[in-house]
Amino acid sequence: MKALVAVKRVVDYNVKVRAKSDGSDVDLNNVKMAINPFCEIAVEEAVRLKEAGTVSEIVAVSVGGSGCQEQIRTALALGADRGIHVEVDGTVEPLSVAKLLKAVVEQEAPDLVIMGKQSIDGDNNQTGQMLGALTGMGQGTFASEVKVGDGSVEVVREVDGGLQTVSLKLPAIITTDLRLNEPRYASLPNIMKAKKKPLDTFTPDQLSVSVKTHVTQSSVAPPPERAAGIKVEDVAQLVDKLKNEAKVIS
């Protein structure tokens, strides 16, 4: 069984993101980049399935600029067998990513496609669902538990009312949620081995996909600073201020 895992290059979640002085975009100068946390969970799940003998090969794929190869190598160090980089300059919208992934899926014919439910930069939560619609594959989104059987996969999903269990015929798409697993750290020997693992690069033209822009970013601004709080002497003063100044109670 082959698993295709999508990984995205994003600003490290520990970094405090700042907007450029002209408000045109996020300032990425000298900023640490990393694999999107949900994508790390996807890689970990694929590696665990391989360790269990369910998956025989893991292919890590990323869409974006040349810097994405760093994140692909990280996925290779975590246990993926080979990488695919679809090189696209600039910001790539979820629909374009889904179309490019569809082309890779048709080329690789994986039994499982595992990807994060959303990225921490765009926060769109769209690519997995769009890929499912484009390929016609069944999808188990927001997965908190995955069990692969004979020709099928059972996914426990996190939904508003609790948990939902769905059974999907393979090939299928899974998008991972936070409680699915806890990603491991790459060991130094595996980091060194990852440098020698194969990594193929394609362009959208080679995959016969046209990348288009449908959304224009008008500006980026930091959230407004919170006003300083005040101390009150007692409950009566608190109620008075909530009623007469904040006017949140009557």
Side-chain angles (χ1 to χ4, degrees):
M1 179 181 290
K2 181 192 293 186
L4 184 75
V5 184
V7 296
K8 185 177 182 181
R9 176 181 171 89
V10 299
V11 175
D12 189 276
Y13 71 93
N14 289 309
V15 174
K16 184 177 181 181
V17 179
R18 296 181 180 180
K20 291 183 177 179
S21 57
D22 61 0
S24 61
D25 207 340
V26 173
D27 189 357
L28 298 180
N29 287 329
N30 300 316
V31 171
K32 181 183 178 183
M33 307 298 285
I35 294 181
N36 176 52
F38 290 102
C39 298
E40 276 192 304
I41 294 172
V43 174
E44 175 66 23
E45 191 63 22
V47 172
R48 292 189 184 191
L49 288 173
K50 184 179 179 182
E51 290 173 341
T54 304
V55 167
S56 57
E57 183 183 26
I58 302 171
V59 182
V61 57
S62 187
V63 177
S66 59
C68 290
Q69 293 196 11
E70 178 186 353
Q71 278 61 54
I72 296 174
R73 290 293 179 191
T74 300
L76 295 175
L78 291 170
D81 298 292
R82 57 189 177 91
I84 295 176
H85 176 212
V86 182
E87 190 165 6
V88 184
D89 293 328
T91 302
V92 193
E93 295 175 7
L95 180 57
S96 296
V97 175
K99 289 180 178 179
L100 292 166
L101 290 178
K102 174 179 179 286
V104 175
V105 167
E106 291 174 345
Q107 180 176 285
E108 293 291 329
D111 301 283
L112 269 179
V113 178
I114 311 177
M115 54 203 307
K117 69 169 185 175
Q118 65 195 79
S119 60
I120 62 173
D121 51 2
D123 219 30
N124 291 307
N125 180 23
Q126 295 175 334
T127 307
Q129 291 88 330
M130 287 178 172
L131 180 60
L134 291 171
T135 60
M137 296 165 64
Q139 54 181 298
T141 55
F142 318 129
S144 61
E145 187 177 348
V146 173
K147 295 179 181 178
V148 180
D150 185 15
S152 66
V153 57
E154 187 177 276
V155 179
V156 179
R157 305 179 60 237
E158 297 195 8
V159 295
D160 290 341
L163 299 175
Q164 178 189 48
T165 302
V166 295
S167 181
L168 310 170
K169 292 182 179 179
L170 297 178
I173 298 168
I174 297 171
T175 71
T176 60
D177 215 326
L178 283 172
R179 279 155 288 279
L180 180 57
N181 60 53
E182 185 175 342
R184 69 192 68 189
Y185 292 99
S187 65
L188 183 57
N190 286 338
I191 292 173
M192 300 305 293
K193 291 177 184 177
K195 295 180 180 180
K196 297 181 180 179
K197 290 184 178 181
L199 197 166
D200 298 319
T201 301
F202 297 95
T203 64
D205 289 340
Q206 289 175 313
L207 297 173
S208 301
V209 177
S210 176
V211 177
K212 297 180 180 179
T213 301
H214 303 87
V215 179
T216 302
Q217 182 172 283
S218 57
S219 64
V220 175
E225 293 186 6
R226 294 179 60 182
I230 61 171
K231 291 183 179 181
V232 294
E233 298 295 331
D234 49 35
V235 175
Q237 186 181 4
L238 172 62
V239 173
D240 178 68
K241 288 187 176 294
L242 291 174
K243 182 177 181 180
N244 300 313
E245 293 184 18
K247 300 187 183 301
V248 294
I249 62 174
S250 57

